[in-house]
Amino acid sequence: MNHDTSARRRSNASYRWIRQIHLWIGAWGALAAILYGITGLVMNHRFGDGAWPQGESSETARVELAIPAEARATPEQLSLWLRARQQLDAQVIRKGGPGGGAGKPPSKWTLSGGTAGSSWALEYAPGDESATLKHSSHSSLAAFNRLHKAVGGGLFWILLADSFAVGMLLLGLSGIWMWARGRSLRQMAVSVMGLSTLAFVAVLGLALS
């Protein structure tokens, strides 16, 4: 067996393996690609006069909670109190900047959580004895849009979405490798790959300028 034959066999074996990996990743993320493609398209058209429907979100309840002194010290303490006494697990904690002077609005803490279809949010102004808790319900389309943005999906959805994101990277890299196999740089430049690269760089440059 000469050197060229051995190299050709190794190249063919590599191609078969990468092609198989490409197919496995495509099968693993096929449903996710459909979901993210639909929601990405919908959210791309959420502004302007011809904005597409984004789903419905409606407030289902609003209550005033008395906040005990031990929960007022920090947002983290407030979060622990909500979990222990209200069975509300805060997934996002936002701290407003310093305020209350020179015409600036007073600072506030916002804690939120829930699922993609049903969420809650609590707004608290430091030092107050109470806080407003709002519960909201989201339609299927709105819930899917929230999942697209990794809102309300929980830990398992984040892990699954991370696997899809890594899969998309590998899908792209393996696709480029297979497309480039056996083609010269000139052939790549005048191919669909070259055209898509040119369009991507041009539009990205316009968007960032």
Side-chain angles (χ1 to χ4, degrees), residues 91-174:
Q91 298 160 0
V92 178
I93 298 176
R94 293 190 176 93
K95 308 174 187 179
K104 297 180 180 178
S107 64
K108 65 178 180 180
W109 305 337
T110 302
L111 291 77
S112 60
T115 66
S118 179
S119 64
W120 63 268
L122 181 136
E123 291 186 354
Y124 175 69
D128 284 359
E129 297 181 353
S130 64
T132 302
L133 174 65
K134 304 175 186 177
H135 289 273
S136 299
S137 177
H138 309 280
S139 68
S140 296
L141 179 56
F144 283 134
N145 286 345
R146 284 166 57 81
L147 287 177
H148 185 113
K149 296 180 286 187
V151 177
L155 175 61
F156 290 116
W157 176 260
I158 292 174
L159 293 175
L160 187 64
D162 282 348
S163 77
F164 294 146
V166 172
M168 289 296 292
L169 291 172
L170 295 177
L171 201 65
L173 291 173
S174 60

Side-chain angles (χ1 to χ4, degrees), residues 19-105:
R19 181 177 182 275
Q20 191 60 54
I21 291 172
H22 187 89
L23 291 173
W24 283 335
I25 294 171
W28 170 252
L31 292 178
I34 294 172
L35 173 63
Y36 278 100
I38 292 173
T39 53
L41 186 62
V42 168
M43 288 190 293
N44 250 3
H45 296 272
R46 64 186 182 275
F47 300 120
D49 294 335
W52 294 10
Q54 301 294 308
E56 300 295 329
S57 297
S58 57
E59 186 177 308
T60 57
R62 180 188 292 239
V63 296
E64 288 291 319
L65 291 181
I67 308 299
E70 64 271 16
R72 303 175 197 165
T74 65
E76 290 73 22
Q77 288 295 111
L78 181 56
S79 174
L80 292 174
W81 178 80
L82 284 171
R83 183 185 303 168
R85 297 300 179 89
Q86 303 294 327
Q87 290 74 52
L88 296 174
D89 189 10
Q91 298 160 0
V92 178
I93 298 176
R94 293 190 176 93
K95 308 174 187 179
K104 297 180 180 178

